[in-house]
Amino acid sequence: MAAFVPACGAWVRRATAAPRGVTGSGVASSFAGTAALGKGSFGGSPVAGAAHGVSLVSRPVRMQQAGLFTSSKPADRRITAPPATSKKVMKVVYVVLEAQYQSSMSAAARAINANEEANLSLDVAGYLLEELRDPENYAQFQKDVADANVFIGSLIFVQELAERVTAAVEPHRERLDACIIFPSMPEVMRLNKLGTFNMSQLGQSKSAIASFMKKRREESGASFEEGMLKLLRTLPKVLKYLPTDKAQDARSFMLSFQYWLGGSPTNLENFLLMVAEKYVDAAPGSESMSTKEVVAPEVFPDTGIWHPLAPRMFEDLTEYLTWYEKEHCPLANLTSSSPTVGLVMQRTHMITGDDCHYVSLVSELEAGGARVIPVFAGGLDFSLPVNAFFFHPGTQEANVDVVVSLTGFALVGGPARQDHPKAIEALSRLDRPYLCALPLVFQTTEEWKESELGLHPVQVALQVSLPELDGALEPVIFAGRDGKTGRSIPLQDRVVALSRRALKWANLRRKKVQDKKIAITVFSFPPDKGNVGTAAYLDVFGSVHKVLQGLAREGYSVGDIPETSEELLEQVVHDKEARINSPELNVAYRMPVSEYEEVCTFSEKLHENWGPPPGHLNTDGTNLLVYGKHFGNVFVGVQPSFGYEGDPMRLLFSKSASPHHGFAAYYAYLENVWGADAVLHFGTHGSLEFMPGKQVGMSGACFPDKLIHTIPNVYYYAANNPSEATIAKRRSYAATISYLTPPAENAGLYKGLKELSELVASYQSLKDTGRGPAIVNSIVDKARICNMDRDVALPDGDTKDLDAEERDNIVGKVYVKLIEIESRLLPCGLHTVGRPPTAAEAVATLVNIAALDRPEEEIVGMPRLLAASVGRDIDDVYAASDAGKLADVELLYQITTACREAVTALVKNSTNEDGRVERVQKFDLGAIIAAQMGRRTPWSAALAENGFPDVEETDLKPLVSYLEFCLEQVVADNELGALVAALEGKYVMPGPGGDPVRNPDVLPTGKNIHALDPQSVPTSAAVDSAKVVVDRLLERQRLDNGGNYPESIALVLWGTDNIKTYGESLAQVLWMVGVRPLADALGRVSKLELIPIEELGRPRVDVVVNCSGVFRDLFINQMALLDRAVKMAAEADEPPEVNFVRKHALEQAEELGVTVREAATRVFSNSSGSYSSNVSLAVENGGWEDEQQLRDMYMSRKGFAFNSDKPGVMEVKPELFRSSLSKVEVTFQNLDSSEISLTDVSHYFDSDPTKIVAQCREDGKKPVAFIADTTTANAQVRTLSETVRLDARTKLLNPKWYEGMMASGYEGARELSKRLRNTMGWSATSGDVDNWVYEDANETFMADEEMQKRLLELNPNSFRSMVTTLLEANGRGYWETSEENIDRLRELYQEVEDRIEGVE
């Protein structure tokens, strides 16, 4: 029997039941329209058909043209008093953040106007906050306010719009009869005026009460808001009996707030009547405006349970369940064994009658066989109903299987403040999957559907980013908005998708472990190169093997697990020499085209890009092939590739193509053929989340949504990559689980570099003897042999002709470079999930944690403590060492060594005989007492032995305690535990992603990774760090450029980097143009201030900012901040010689025939839903003819301009992009973490515009390329070529690194191949790779027969790739070498090719 769905009677009853402001229209399709404005301040006719029969004539969508996301019309909600009336007309203007009050306000106003007996009628003009971005709308708003009696505002929390509201209302505040503002930004709240009551001193009062209230808010967080709601209910009753006007006016304000929170048409009608009666002058001769008695506010429960078919709201769980189980469940065909979904809702939608989307979801869930407990809160602390109603009465046992929040907000707190720890505490106690779906707030349905961007940036910041900090999953858009009525509209396909996904999560909790089917999905990128099982820093097959063993222990049916990870690899790949497009990979399933077209509902949409199935990828010509291997109920499958990596023409497209048939068949197989209960994507990262579609807020037409469809998606993601993990969360609905990056070690020295270091040590001990000059000559010769002559200015002649100080400086500068190489951190080997680092492996991470000052934690870094103990400031030591002062180079080396030894001693203190940390031995009071008695702690003793005996134990205590805490986190292990929890339908604890050195809260891994609140960056600390880097960059360039500053710098902004550094590169851009970011009253960075040239002390430097696709997705509001900053500088009335931004904008305005403001567009990225320039794909696959083709890819894909005046679209602006690049003199990128450097990933060269700038410039001059390295406490600015050399010396050519990689076998050999290929990528985009790098790589890997043999055995395809890369580098002119070397490489290529093809 089908479940009972209240689709007819219930819908009609709910749509017509009081209170309702607009009948019928709430369920109609919405239609966006143009912003046609009424003439005069309150002119125009009443809304056509507003009361009955809304017109459904479609109006053109203007969003694509204006990009403002608000094609709804304020004129649609304008209500005018009846014509020729003798009644007093009260003119009301209101502005609200969310649209659900619109219908209630309209109904209230019409009810008053329809009252024949009252001496009052209303003119009402309503605005949604986002509509005020439109200049025409804002102009009309200003006119309306100027002619109004009453102004009402609510939830005005967007800073720049709060400023607009204040600017429009403040001049009229004293004239207005009433100005009533409900919770909003402080500057808007200060507009409040109701009789003698006002808030003009809000935030400025020094009274004891104000101080007490502020302290209570800080201490209590969200519970403070709940306390205020209780106070709001009781205080008016008390104030009623106080005779003073002030008390009565204060009471009126609080009653107004009660009416507003009540939200129903009746409440808002009485609210307007009360304001009119008490504060708006009556018409001459009339005694009263209204003969209708003003009724007290109707009060609704603060928390409760609501069901569309229930007779009332319930405040008691038992009462609800009694009604639900006895009366409703039998009709709905539900039983006590049905899965139960907990829904969290906003009370305002119910009491304003804007609840059709709630009704639809409840109906869909029940039709799908689920019981529901739909709870609500009147305030913004939704943990209260969660705690009250989602547990069996009197127990700690949850009564729901999954929770879906429909509020859009964080669980505790609204748009202003959040209490994430309280939310996490409640959700951890509940321990159920927490999904957070949302209705459109700032867009109409049509705008969202038409938008490539997807969800409005403000809503992303408030209602996607913030819930993620609570651990929320799956930001599915389940309701649209009608532009005419403002009502929410259920999006039926999205409601169905959300319902099915929620039930799949519930199924994971309820299904027997041995019956669950889990699809582990590994990646292969780039294809056809022995790359099955690619993932950043991860030993994929070793980890999959561990996971299979872990699942077996939990009772999953896993069949016969191979004995070793190597055997597992063989069974999946079938042959290590397999190519991705051949049947050599193990074929798990052959899918006939007829079956494919049946199980893949969108296959026809792929024909445009790929033709009819089966196509040419993942096919044997007849069937579509699914690669992988089944182990019982666990499938280890290989995700197909994008499909266009090797096709230069496809790579030139400015927007990405759809997935190919083989890709679609893989996910259709998992869901509809094999019947996976969950998919586990294994490692950073695959292709699913980067498929075309909206940026955030997927529709059913977006390919990530189509592909993952209803399967719960669990995703192992590297802890240091929160930005791309966030893309996976938002675009493919992934529950991400962090894994640790490999343990870091110091690079050390080897071969000639080690010999050079020994010579330096000899010089230090013998320099004052007669042998000093001879040793310096040897140092110079050896430095040349080690190719350091481009890093250090080496003398040509005999150094005996130099004085002692000059010789010291030469040796000091060589020494600095050696220390730079030796101390550089590099990840060694690959991480295996479920295998935490040993104590020894944790040391290098802790040394770097110890090096940083942490003022927010009141912790002084160890280098600063050690320097202070010998009477020096560490910043002075850094500066002198950088300059090559030999004594300070040596002192810094001693400090670094002592830090390392002290941390090693601290770790050894807690290490067991197996070399692991089971329990950290804490630094305590006894240690301090022991120190006072003359006994040193192990770390203090280590410092003394290394030359720093005077560091006080009490000074060390805060740092040591912090390091002990960090040690516990580093060696903790919850990666497998978190996976098991997710697959059992439990809550996975959220945690930040990023660099564990900068932010140890990233540890332990096994957390549901989130990014950060994008509105919190850049922080003040990031601004300070940015100044240091920019000042060093500009000063270095000034000294190299005849005293002239660069006029324009091209930068790249990365998502992960800005999360890790809290916005340092954002702040760098702002400091270059001379603009200071400021926080608003809520701590959000949303304001800007132009720094005077006198204070800046230099010209404003122009910028061209190219944002990665991931940065665009995560920080679009900060892109607006950058665009506003550049335009602020361009429009400053300053001479061009001190303002290069203005200078270039004026030139471009004339050149391109545009305004100066448009000419100042400097923020670019990909089109929405596209990522990368595709240069990296071309380089990785060798499928490019010449560099011009690479440049065309870059210009085609990266030239989409962002405009803060029209934030809704990314507009392609090729002429403006090229013109801006033609002014560039410097290109610049940042390295922020030791884990990822220039050649570790292809992203960096993919976005490098160095040669492109040279082509754009009229003089053809190549810009100087710089890299900022903030991986240590002593930030460095190096040229690109210096950085590539450092990378080559510390990784690719370093035996410590490549032997560590080769110890990881198949995957490790692939890492070598990748580094070499990425090095060639830099040759292609910048030309800044020295010839000796290729020469030494050839010598290390190709000339050594033993090395050849090892690589061939480990991964023949990767070895072939290395041979190919060197041949290609020579063929493209990047490497000059002997014919002997080239002949050997050709022979090797043929040999490995024969091996792969099976030729004896």
Side-chain angles (χ1 to χ4, degrees):
M1 174 181 172
F4 170 73
V5 185
C8 300
W11 278 82
V12 172
R13 180 159 69 85
R14 295 299 299 163
T16 55
R20 282 292 183 273
V22 180
T23 57
S25 62
V27 292
S29 297
S30 67
F31 291 88
T34 57
L37 297 162
K39 296 180 180 178
S41 60
F42 277 75
S45 60
V47 179
H52 301 285
V54 173
S55 170
L56 298 183
V57 178
S58 177
R59 302 192 297 268
V61 176
R62 48 193 287 274
M63 180 212 61
Q64 292 299 314
Q65 176 265 323
L68 291 174
F69 278 133
T70 43
S71 63
S72 56
K73 300 191 330 183
D76 283 346
R77 62 189 79 90
R78 187 176 295 273
I79 294 173
T80 56
T85 181
S86 59
K87 298 179 180 182
K88 174 67 176 180
V89 177
M90 181 172 81
K91 299 181 177 179
V92 179
V93 179
Y94 69 90
V95 177
V96 291
L97 178 74
E98 297 181 294
Q100 60 257 42
Y101 275 88
Q102 177 183 334
S103 57
S104 285
M105 278 292 282
S106 298
R110 290 192 193 96
I112 291 171
N113 285 348
N115 186 351
E116 297 293 336
E117 299 177 5
N119 183 31
L120 173 68
S121 57
L122 299 183
D123 272 354
V124 179
Y127 292 83
L128 302 178
L129 185 60
E130 279 294 312
E131 289 172 339
L132 299 184
R133 292 188 191 274
D134 185 298
E136 292 180 355
N137 287 347
Y138 185 64
Q140 184 63 40
F141 171 66
Q142 289 174 303
K143 289 180 185 177
D144 288 342
V145 170
D147 200 31
N149 301 101
V150 176
F151 176 75
I152 302 165
S154 177
L155 295 183
I156 300 171
F157 281 114
V158 180
Q159 178 62 39
E160 66 250 53
L161 299 177
E163 291 170 4
R164 289 191 175 200
V165 170
T166 304
V169 177
E170 196 167 39
H172 303 284
R173 178 176 180 270
E174 294 308 313
R175 179 194 57 76
L176 287 166
D177 293 315
C179 189
I180 307 169
I181 313 294
F182 303 117
S184 294
M185 295 294 290
E187 59 264 47
V188 187
M189 291 296 288
R190 291 187 196 109
L191 297 172
N192 263 303
K193 187 198 78 165
L194 202 57
T196 58
F197 173 83
N198 76 78
M199 291 189 179
S200 59
Q201 299 303 307
L202 181 72
Q204 301 166 17
S205 171
K206 302 294 182 185
S207 70
I209 291 177
S211 300
F212 170 75
M213 295 288 274
K214 182 179 179 183
K215 186 177 179 185
R216 284 284 295 142
R217 177 185 294 276
E218 290 170 351
E219 289 177 353
S220 306
S223 61
F224 173 85
E225 314 290 347
E226 296 305 317
M228 290 298 98
L229 285 176
K230 291 189 175 84
L231 188 65
L232 193 65
R233 287 193 171 189
T234 56
L235 205 53
K237 297 173 185 174
V238 177
L239 292 174
K240 183 176 182 180
Y241 300 104
L242 297 181
T244 65
D245 288 343
K246 280 191 174 182
Q248 292 310 306
D249 291 336
R251 177 175 183 268
S252 294
F253 177 77
M254 292 193 175
L255 283 172
S256 298
F257 200 7
Q258 278 193 12
Y259 282 123
W260 189 259
L261 287 174
S264 65
T266 303
N267 268 337
L268 295 190
E269 181 184 350
N270 283 296
F271 161 53
L272 294 170
L273 290 173
M274 181 196 76
V275 171
E277 188 173 90
K278 291 189 176 182
Y279 298 102
V280 180
D281 291 337
S286 66
E287 295 180 3
S288 172
M289 280 198 171
S290 172
T291 57
K292 183 176 179 178
E293 181 183 353
V294 178
V295 178
E298 180 185 0
V299 177
F300 297 92
D302 286 338
T303 61
I305 308 173
W306 169 94
H307 190 284
L309 294 180
R312 59 185 171 86
M313 292 176 173
F314 294 91
E315 295 183 73
D316 180 83
L317 176 61
T318 303
E319 290 181 13
Y320 170 75
L321 292 176
T322 299
W323 168 80
Y324 192 69
E325 291 170 355
K326 288 187 175 179
E327 297 186 35
H328 183 70
C329 285
L331 294 173
N333 197 29
L334 300 171
T335 69
S336 58
S337 63
S338 301
T340 303
V341 179
L343 299 174
V344 183
M345 303 175 170
Q346 269 185 287
R347 191 186 66 182
T348 52
H349 281 285
M350 301 156 197
I351 59 182
T352 58
D354 184 25
D355 58 10
C356 284
H357 54 318
Y358 289 173
V359 173
S360 181
L361 183 61
V362 168
S363 302
E364 188 63 39
L365 285 166
E366 291 186 339
R371 294 154 49 96
V372 293
I373 303 180
V375 305
F376 64 82
L380 293 170
D381 185 351
F382 298 101
S383 71
L384 297 174
V386 165
N387 288 330
F389 305 121
F390 286 167
F391 292 88
H392 291 292
T395 75
Q396 294 296 308
E397 183 187 350
N399 59 13
V400 294
D401 297 301
V402 63
V403 174
V404 184
S405 171
L406 306 178
T407 69
F409 290 118
L411 189 70
V412 183
R417 287 182 175 83
Q418 301 79 40
D419 189 342
H420 299 295
K422 184 177 181 182
I424 291 167
E425 181 185 359
L427 292 168
S428 298
R429 177 171 164 252
L430 189 67
D431 202 19
R432 296 292 184 268
Y434 175 56
L435 281 57
C436 200
L438 52 159
L440 295 178
V441 174
F442 304 117
Q443 294 152 279
T444 63
T445 307
E446 282 70 26
E447 288 169 336
W448 167 72
K449 283 182 177 178
E450 293 292 325
S451 167
E452 292 178 350
L453 199 64
L455 196 60
H456 189 293
V458 172
Q459 192 168 2
V460 173
L462 294 178
Q463 299 195 334
V464 178
S465 298
L466 295 178
E468 284 172 350
L469 305 185
D470 295 339
L473 310 174
E474 308 204 3
V476 175
I477 310 299
F478 78 103
R481 181 165 70 81
D482 179 57
K484 196 174 187 69
T485 66
R487 294 169 69 86
S488 298
I489 302 166
L491 301 170
Q492 195 53 37
D493 71 312
R494 302 288 78 208
V495 167
V496 169
L498 175 60
S499 173
R500 290 180 181 175
R501 292 194 63 79
L503 289 174
K504 284 284 186 80
W505 278 106
N507 179 61
L508 281 177
R509 206 189 83 73
R510 300 169 68 85
K511 195 169 187 177
K512 290 180 180 178
V513 168
Q514 63 267 29
D515 295 334
K516 287 182 196 173
K517 289 186 172 183
I518 309 300
I520 296 176
T521 297
V522 300
F523 311 124
S524 178
F525 189 84
D528 195 23
K529 295 211 172 87
N531 286 313
V532 176
T534 44
Y537 318 106
L538 193 63
D539 178 352
V540 172
F541 283 100
S543 298
V544 171
H545 194 251
K546 278 271 188 186
V547 166
L548 287 172
Q549 291 173 329
L551 293 178
R553 286 193 297 272
E554 295 294 325
Y556 286 79
S557 172
V558 295
D560 295 325
I561 304 175
E563 288 291 321
T564 66
S565 59
E566 289 76 15
E567 289 180 29
L568 173 67
L569 169 68
E570 289 289 340
Q571 290 192 31
V572 174
V573 174
H574 194 61
D575 187 309
K576 276 192 288 192
E577 296 157 17
R579 291 166 296 167
I580 191 71
N581 60 358
S582 81
E584 293 289 336
L585 270 175
N586 193 65
V587 177
Y589 189 74
R590 298 177 190 276
M591 184 181 290
V593 170
S594 58
E595 182 183 24
Y596 164 67
E597 290 177 333
E598 179 184 341
V599 297
C600 180
T601 58
F602 55 92
S603 63
E604 285 191 10
K605 294 187 180 297
L606 312 185
H607 290 203
E608 179 185 352
N609 284 302
W610 302 99
H616 304 289
L617 297 163
N618 291 70
T619 177
D620 58 10
T622 304
N623 304 293
L624 287 148
L625 304 180
V626 176
Y627 294 118
K629 177 76 174 175
H630 289 96
F631 299 94
N633 281 342
V634 178
F635 172 58
V636 180
V638 181
Q639 184 189 71
S641 69
F642 269 112
Y644 52 80
E645 294 85 357
D647 185 340
M649 295 312 296
R650 285 185 188 275
L651 295 178
L652 279 167
F653 295 162
S654 65
K655 298 182 181 181
S656 301
S658 67
H660 58 81
H661 293 292
F663 203 102
Y666 178 81
Y667 284 95
Y669 168 75
L670 295 186
E671 181 180 26
N672 297 323
V673 179
W674 189 60
D677 293 299
V679 62
L680 169 60
H681 286 101
F682 218 98
T684 306
H685 57 74
S687 305
L688 170 67
E689 61 269 32
F690 295 101
M691 285 294 171
K694 297 184 188 302
Q695 201 164 294
V696 185
M698 301 292 101
S699 73
C702 297
F703 285 109
D705 183 278
K706 285 177 177 293
L707 290 160
I708 197 65
H709 204 220
T710 68
I711 316 175
N713 180 10
V714 184
Y715 208 141
Y716 269 135
Y717 232 90
N720 69 344
N721 195 344
S723 61
E724 290 180 318
T726 303
I727 302 300
K729 289 166 81 81
R730 296 177 184 178
R731 303 190 86 240
S732 66
Y733 310 137
T736 53
I737 296 175
S738 62
Y739 64 81
L740 201 61
T741 49
E745 294 183 35
N746 294 102
L749 299 173
Y750 54 92
K751 298 180 183 175
L753 296 172
K754 191 170 186 179
E755 294 168 15
L756 189 54
S757 175
E758 290 165 356
L759 284 171
V760 170
S762 297
Y763 175 76
Q764 287 178 289
S765 60
L766 300 172
K767 67 177 182 173
D768 295 329
T769 69
R771 295 180 58 191
I775 297 174
V776 176
N777 285 338
S778 297
I779 288 172
V780 169
D781 291 342
K782 179 59 73 173
R784 283 203 172 92
I785 292 169
C786 292
N787 300 296
M788 292 184 76
D789 47 326
R790 287 197 61 196
D791 299 288
V792 179
L794 299 173
D796 292 325
D798 194 326
T799 60
K800 71 180 181 183
D801 300 328
L802 305 177
D803 61 33
E805 185 178 350
E806 288 173 320
R807 285 194 292 271
D808 274 4
N809 284 341
I810 291 168
V811 175
K813 286 174 182 174
V814 171
Y815 194 12
V816 165
K817 289 298 174 185
L818 288 172
I819 291 174
E820 190 175 67
I821 295 166
E822 189 273 338
S823 62
R824 192 167 180 82
L825 274 188
L826 49 103
C828 282
L830 299 169
H831 176 66
T832 301
V833 165
R835 186 181 293 158
T838 63
E841 290 169 340
V843 168
T845 301
L846 288 174
V847 169
N848 277 268
I849 290 173
L852 297 182
D853 297 323
R854 300 176 194 273
E856 70 282 0
E857 307 270 357
E858 298 183 347
I859 291 170
V860 179
M862 196 175 287
R864 191 172 298 281
L865 290 173
L866 270 55
S869 76
V870 294
R872 296 293 301 277
D873 185 312
I874 191 64
D875 295 323
D876 295 336
V877 177
Y878 286 146
S881 175
D882 289 345
K885 297 288 175 60
L886 185 58
D888 284 304
V889 175
E890 176 61 21
L891 175 58
L892 185 55
Y893 182 73
Q894 290 171 353
I895 288 172
T896 304
T897 302
C899 289
R900 197 178 300 159
E901 292 303 317
V903 171
T904 301
L906 182 148
V907 173
K908 278 185 178 177
N909 192 50
S910 299
T911 305
N912 65 16
E913 57 195 23
D914 297 325
R916 295 198 173 270
V917 175
E918 290 180 353
R919 191 174 69 85
V920 174
Q921 301 295 323
K922 296 293 180 71
F923 180 74
D924 55 17
L925 184 61
I928 297 176
I929 294 171
Q932 290 174 340
M933 296 171 63
R935 293 204 307 271
R936 289 184 179 274
T937 55
W939 41 93
S940 178
L943 293 177
E945 289 167 13
N946 285 274
F948 297 93
D950 299 328
V951 184
E952 294 290 338
E953 293 277 10
T954 49
D955 293 337
L956 280 170
K957 183 180 186 306
L959 176 60
V960 169
S961 298
Y962 187 71
L963 290 175
E964 288 169 340
F965 164 77
C966 292
L967 176 58
E968 288 179 321
Q969 309 310 305
V970 170
V971 299
D973 177 23
N974 191 40
E975 293 171 356
L976 272 175
L979 171 64
V980 169
L983 295 179
E984 288 180 358
K986 294 181 178 179
Y987 176 73
V988 176
M989 185 72 71
D995 181 2
V997 172
R998 291 175 186 262
N999 181 13
D1001 288 343
V1002 168
L1003 305 169
T1005 47
K1007 293 177 180 173
N1008 177 4
I1009 311 176
H1010 59 68
L1012 44 69
D1013 178 358
Q1015 297 177 107
S1016 67
V1017 297
T1019 62
S1020 57
V1023 171
D1024 292 341
S1025 299
K1027 288 179 183 177
V1028 172
V1029 169
V1030 171
D1031 289 348
R1032 288 184 182 181
L1033 169 68
L1034 296 180
E1035 183 61 17
R1036 176 164 180 175
Q1037 184 64 1
R1038 186 183 70 82
L1039 294 173
D1040 294 346
N1041 203 25
N1044 297 315
Y1045 286 102
E1047 291 197 4
S1048 183
I1049 298 176
L1051 305 92
V1052 183
L1053 296 188
W1054 300 101
T1056 289
D1057 294 11
N1058 276 282
I1059 293 171
K1060 289 179 181 175
T1061 64
Y1062 299 94
E1064 276 182 23
S1065 53
L1066 264 169
Q1068 289 167 359
V1069 177
L1070 295 172
W1071 186 243
M1072 286 175 187
V1073 300
V1075 173
R1076 182 178 289 118
L1078 299 171
D1080 61 25
L1082 299 176
R1084 302 174 308 191
V1085 183
S1086 58
K1087 299 163 73 174
L1088 297 167
E1089 174 183 81
L1090 200 66
I1091 301 168
I1093 289 292
E1094 299 75 27
E1095 180 184 341
L1096 198 59
R1098 58 164 173 81
R1100 301 189 196 283
V1101 177
D1102 199 3
V1103 293
V1104 181
V1105 183
N1106 213 291
C1107 303
S1108 74
V1110 175
F1111 182 95
R1112 174 206 62 211
D1113 287 3
L1114 300 187
F1115 291 105
I1116 197 158
N1117 291 292
Q1118 266 46 32
M1119 287 172 71
L1121 200 71
L1122 293 177
D1123 184 66
R1124 286 165 49 205
V1126 174
K1127 287 171 177 170
M1128 182 183 284
E1131 292 173 339
D1133 186 11
E1134 295 169 343
E1137 59 268 19
V1138 296
N1139 186 338
F1140 300 143
V1141 185
R1142 181 164 179 77
K1143 175 185 176 181
H1144 297 157
L1146 289 168
E1147 292 170 356
Q1148 290 172 278
E1150 185 174 344
E1151 171 196 340
L1152 300 172
V1154 296
T1155 65
V1156 170
R1157 188 168 179 83
E1158 187 177 348
T1161 298
R1162 294 289 185 273
V1163 182
F1164 297 89
S1165 186
N1166 295 84
S1167 69
S1168 299
S1170 291
Y1171 302 84
S1172 92
S1173 70
N1174 281 352
V1175 168
S1176 59
L1177 295 180
V1179 169
E1180 284 163 352
N1181 290 276
W1184 51 291
E1185 293 175 13
D1186 53 26
E1187 289 180 1
Q1188 185 59 48
Q1189 202 170 52
L1190 300 182
R1191 292 171 202 147
D1192 290 344
M1193 289 175 195
Y1194 183 96
M1195 296 301 289
S1196 165
R1197 290 179 61 83
K1198 301 298 286 186
F1200 288 77
F1202 180 84
N1203 184 348
S1204 59
D1205 298 331
K1206 300 190 294 183
V1209 290
M1210 300 291 297
E1211 294 181 297
V1212 61
K1213 296 275 187 180
E1215 297 84 5
L1216 191 53
F1217 189 36
R1218 182 175 292 277
S1219 173
S1220 299
L1221 288 173
S1222 72
K1223 315 287 185 186
V1224 167
E1225 296 173 10
V1226 171
T1227 63
F1228 181 66
Q1229 294 202 53
N1230 284 277
L1231 291 177
D1232 64 275
S1233 167
S1234 59
E1235 295 159 336
I1236 305 177
S1237 194
L1238 288 188
T1239 59
D1240 290 341
V1241 292
S1242 58
H1243 303 58
Y1244 288 117
F1245 76 77
D1246 182 83
S1247 290
D1248 173 47
T1250 303
K1251 286 186 177 179
I1252 293 160
V1253 168
Q1255 188 179 54
C1256 292
R1257 288 180 61 91
E1258 288 183 10
D1259 59 9
K1261 181 182 175 183
K1262 194 177 88 169
V1264 186
F1266 284 101
I1267 304 292
D1269 181 346
T1270 59
T1271 60
T1272 66
N1274 183 22
Q1276 300 290 317
V1277 176
R1278 304 185 184 94
T1279 63
L1280 173 58
S1281 59
E1282 287 171 341
T1283 309
V1284 171
R1285 288 194 290 275
L1286 181 60
D1287 238 28
R1289 286 172 175 138
T1290 54
K1291 290 190 176 172
L1292 182 64
L1293 304 175
N1294 184 353
K1296 190 172 188 178
W1297 182 83
Y1298 63 68
E1299 289 294 347
M1301 283 298 167
M1302 290 173 72
S1304 295
Y1306 172 86
E1307 285 100 338
R1310 182 178 57 230
E1311 292 296 317
L1312 271 65
S1313 169
K1314 186 169 78 173
R1315 294 310 184 290
L1316 186 60
R1317 176 62 61 164
N1318 290 344
T1319 301
M1320 193 189 72
W1322 283 108
S1323 290
T1325 63
S1326 72
D1328 280 346
V1329 181
D1330 294 350
N1331 199 71
W1332 68 263
V1333 173
Y1334 294 111
E1335 196 69 26
D1336 283 16
N1338 179 68
E1339 189 69 23
T1340 301
F1341 301 110
M1342 303 298 157
D1344 184 334
E1345 289 191 12
E1346 184 60 32
M1347 179 63 78
Q1348 292 175 21
K1349 184 179 177 183
R1350 290 172 64 195
L1351 287 169
L1352 196 58
E1353 288 298 320
L1354 287 174
N1355 190 328
N1357 278 282
S1358 291
F1359 183 54
R1360 176 176 61 179
S1361 174
M1362 294 177 75
V1363 174
T1364 304
T1365 299
L1366 287 170
L1367 285 170
E1368 190 178 340
N1370 173 257
R1372 294 187 187 277
Y1374 303 145
W1375 173 38
E1376 293 181 13
T1377 192
S1378 67
E1379 275 303 314
E1380 179 188 350
N1381 281 338
I1382 297 303
D1383 288 342
R1384 179 172 57 238
L1385 288 170
R1386 287 175 181 143
E1387 289 172 11
L1388 280 173
Y1389 183 85
Q1390 192 58 53
E1391 183 183 330
V1392 72
E1393 187 77 5
D1394 289 347
R1395 169 78 176 269
I1396 289 171
E1397 296 296 334
V1399 178
E1400 292 299 329

